Amino acid sequence: MAAPVLFHHPSSLEHDPGPHPERPARITAIETALAARDWLGFERRESPEATRAQLEAVHPARHINGIQELCAAGGGMIDQDTVVSEGSWGAALHSAGGAAAMVDALLGDGGVRVGASVHRPPGHHAEVGRAMGFCLFNNVAVAARRARDEHGVGRVLVLDWDVHHGNGTQDVFYDSDEVLFCSIHEWPLYPGTGAEGETGTGPGEGFTINMPVPSGTGDDGFCSLVEHVVAPAARAYGPGLILVSAGYDAHHDDPLASCRVTDGGYATMATSVRALADGLGVPVGIVLEGGYELGALARGFTATLEVAGGPGPFGAPSVEEHPLATAALERLRAGSPLLG
Ligand SMILES: [Zn+2]
């Protein structure tokens, strides 16, 4: 197996929102931790900028131009949470471009099976026509569309374990079966979307699986939802690529939410994902989203890459079925095209 690859770019440090939890030190913390572990065997590559066509596969030109113009004018506020500086434009282009280049590495003929895209700003709150929630372009959506447009992969699983609902990714793929979007998120919490009943529309009906969890949910809930709900749904779906919107703000130390996932919980979820990918014979790409306590972020991300990029092959982890998973399975069996 070819070495796993990690895409990054120094422009991630140039996106300056001022005093803000989504700050450059997040990248420094992750990279310092990975460097201390010799990058866990990942081959590092410098991310290219996303091309205009890659961005326009997800966002309309007016959205892209609006961000470009605001950055060129020196920056400013898009909403109360989402602030850009002059350097945000380059950072955002490389953040989306890194995710797309990761997909090229995973689906090209180099034999790479595991990739990571480590950038900021994050992307999963960015809707088709709207930047919000610290996110400018939807990096994981750009990656999924790249899989389809450049590599002919018509089915992609996106697992979003960031503690916030990935409203942007849901928005991009809500009416399509080209992505099976599975999100585990604290509820109620920002941005307020992601109810169980939001399951997709038209040809996308049943291809959005929202798993809201109450405040205080820890490893037992998160890991069981991945192993007992996401994994079987994904096996029924049969994706050609697995992408993870990997946020670390469900960690018990994170200041922005109140779930209680541990470093070990992220390792267990990564084990489920890697076992799923090995079983399906498809590659895995990890795309960084949120996570605002620097130590928890660095440890959680390192734990994820240590498992995801490990030599394998991996079997499914031993996880007890949690009542949240039992309830989600009952809902899906009642109406899902995948588990019905
Ligand atoms: Zn988040």
Side-chain angles (χ1 to χ4, degrees), residues 124-125 134 162-165 189 247-250 256 289-292:
H124 74 147
H125 293 306
F134 317 165
D162 189 282
V163 81
H164 302 96
H165 179 237
L189 190 68
Y248 294 86
D249 39 12
L256 265 58
E289 300 286 0
Y292 304 100

Side-chain angles (χ1 to χ4, degrees), residues 101-125:
M102 177 189 74
V103 165
D104 288 346
L106 293 172
L107 297 176
D109 41 23
V112 177
R113 306 301 290 171
V114 178
S117 183
V118 186
H119 300 81
R120 51 186 292 279
H124 74 147
H125 293 306

Side-chain angles (χ1 to χ4, degrees), residues 4-40:
V5 294
L6 180 148
F7 285 87
H8 62 167
H9 194 273
S11 61
S12 282
L13 305 178
E14 304 302 318
H15 164 49
D16 176 14
H20 197 287
E22 203 292 283
R23 56 209 192 275
R26 297 178 60 239
I27 297 294
T28 311
I30 288 173
E31 298 207 336
T32 301
L34 289 174
R37 302 283 306 278
D38 204 16
W39 299 87
L40 296 167

Side-chain angles (χ1 to χ4, degrees), residues 304-323:
T304 303
L305 291 204
E306 184 168 23
V307 171
F314 283 80
S318 171
V319 177
E320 206 170 308
E321 187 174 304
H322 188 276

